Amino acid sequence: MLVEALMAVALLGILFGLFASVASLMTSRDATLTRQAYLSVQARAGTDQLSRELESAMCNGATQPITSATTTQVQFTAPDRLQPYHLQQLTYSLAANTFRKQIAISTNTNGPPWTMGATSSPAAIVNSIANPSVFRYYDSTGAELVPTSGSLTAAQLPKVARISLTLTVVPLASHGAGALTTQGSATVRTWSTQQTCTP
């Protein structure tokens, strides 16, 4: 009788251990899936926002809309939504696995010339970014403009006609598994015939 009781207790212990392992695995998987979904929504929203702003990019009176471009950062000027509008200098960048945004807004509405206010602190859009390069640049023929020495040259910047963005997010709890990739692109207007980009 004692042997049977001990065997029953041992069997119950094994079953309880298996149940606890399965429950832990399910909880971890649910947390990973929840984090995946959250990061995916953030990445899509950030990609869409950047695309909308890039498509309204405009000259600032002195330069083409794209003022600097690397594989991890793009800076450009675009109007805000007010009437009369202020000019915004928008910077999207990847730093420490976080895709982020900074804004400087003109203090005047009658530019050019534009008087730019202070640049905001970087605001995180999405974190847990796994890919080291997020931006690619193309001219009007579809040929890729490859940054030299880390960034596009002054001669390349006016040729940018399309910018693509790729964000690959990996939830921290997934231990490197469960990567999701969000991609987007935006067409940049060329101003050579519509508006001069010099004062």
Side-chain angles (χ1 to χ4, degrees):
M1 187 69 122
L2 181 60
V3 173
E4 291 174 348
L6 289 173
M7 288 179 64
V9 168
L11 184 59
L12 284 174
I14 292 169
L15 289 174
F16 180 76
L18 287 172
F19 176 76
S21 295
V22 169
S24 175
L25 182 63
M26 295 295 286
T27 301
S28 176
R29 181 175 174 170
D30 286 348
T32 298
L33 290 174
T34 300
R35 185 69 177 153
Q36 267 185 329
Y38 175 72
L39 289 172
S40 179
V41 168
Q42 278 190 317
R44 174 49 56 198
T47 301
D48 291 347
Q49 180 183 39
L50 173 60
S51 295
R52 283 192 306 273
E53 290 173 341
L54 273 170
E55 287 171 357
S56 65
M58 63 179 283
C59 300
N60 67 9
T63 67
Q64 292 283 335
I66 310 300
T67 53
S68 70
T70 71
T71 58
T72 58
Q73 176 178 299
V74 64
Q75 185 178 79
F76 59 98
T77 51
D80 64 13
R81 296 185 178 186
L82 301 176
Q83 287 296 330
Y85 69 85
H86 296 78
L87 191 71
Q88 303 175 101
Q89 180 175 279
L90 302 157
T91 305
Y92 283 86
S93 62
L94 176 68
N97 302 108
T98 300
F99 190 60
R100 56 196 199 161
K101 175 182 180 180
Q102 291 177 275
I103 306 173
I105 302 175
S106 68
T107 57
N108 63 317
T109 59
N110 57 347
W114 299 99
T115 303
M116 302 306 293
T119 302
S120 68
S121 297
I125 297 174
V126 60
N127 55 23
S128 299
I129 303 295
N131 51 318
S133 299
V134 294
F135 294 110
R136 295 178 77 175
Y137 306 93
Y138 303 88
D139 66 17
S140 59
T141 68
E144 185 170 3
L145 298 167
V146 180
T148 55
S149 301
S151 61
L152 293 186
T153 65
Q156 289 173 309
L157 288 173
K159 297 178 182 178
V160 175
R162 186 172 66 85
I163 298 175
S164 72
L165 169 66
T166 302
L167 297 177
T168 300
V169 294
V170 180
L172 295 177
S174 71
H175 304 291
L180 294 171
T181 299
T182 301
Q183 293 181 311
S185 67
T187 301
V188 180
R189 289 179 290 179
T190 54
W191 293 88
S192 57
T193 57
Q194 297 145 306
Q195 175 184 325
T196 179
C197 284
T198 54

